[in-house]
Amino acid sequence: MGRDPVSTPRSQDMAKQDTASLQTRIDREVALQFKELAEVRGVSEAQLLREVVTDYIENTDVDSIAEEIRRTMEKRIARLTRKK
């Protein structure tokens, strides 16, 4: 994954760490609300996004999600093999 093309002192600090870049599209209204939240908290949108993503990952039970996916796939495979 590439680094941001603009180099600022803050982005240079982040580049010293083992980082990756995320890029996505969201609804314009959601983006404006997110920007306002960042401003109210006194942080950049990038910093707020890092915090949100980190919090989500730390509070998500990955093992449960993986188990649910495994069960779903087993059911689908069983249905497909029965059709033959």
Side-chain angles (χ1 to χ4, degrees), residues 68-81:
E68 181 179 340
I69 292 169
R70 185 190 62 74
R71 284 192 306 269
T72 300
M73 294 309 296
E74 284 177 349
K75 289 177 186 176
R76 289 181 182 176
I77 291 168
R79 273 185 292 191
L80 289 172
T81 56

Side-chain angles (χ1 to χ4, degrees), residues 3-71:
R3 300 257 189 245
D4 291 330
V6 178
S7 181
T8 63
R10 182 152 178 84
S11 65
Q12 290 170 355
D13 287 343
M14 289 298 297
K16 292 177 186 174
Q17 300 174 16
D18 186 18
T19 62
S21 178
L22 275 176
Q23 186 174 2
T24 188
R25 295 190 181 277
I26 59 172
D27 181 75
R28 185 177 310 277
E29 184 60 32
V30 172
L32 291 172
Q33 291 172 350
F34 189 82
K35 181 178 182 175
E36 289 176 13
L37 287 171
E39 289 173 359
V40 167
R41 291 199 48 211
V43 297
S44 69
E45 292 170 68
Q47 180 59 37
L48 181 55
L49 184 57
R50 283 190 290 272
E51 291 173 12
V52 168
V53 170
T54 299
D55 186 58
Y56 178 79
I57 291 169
E58 288 175 352
N59 292 297
T60 298
D61 185 354
V62 176
D63 292 335
S64 292
I65 293 171
E67 181 61 24
E68 181 179 340
I69 292 169
R70 185 190 62 74
R71 284 192 306 269

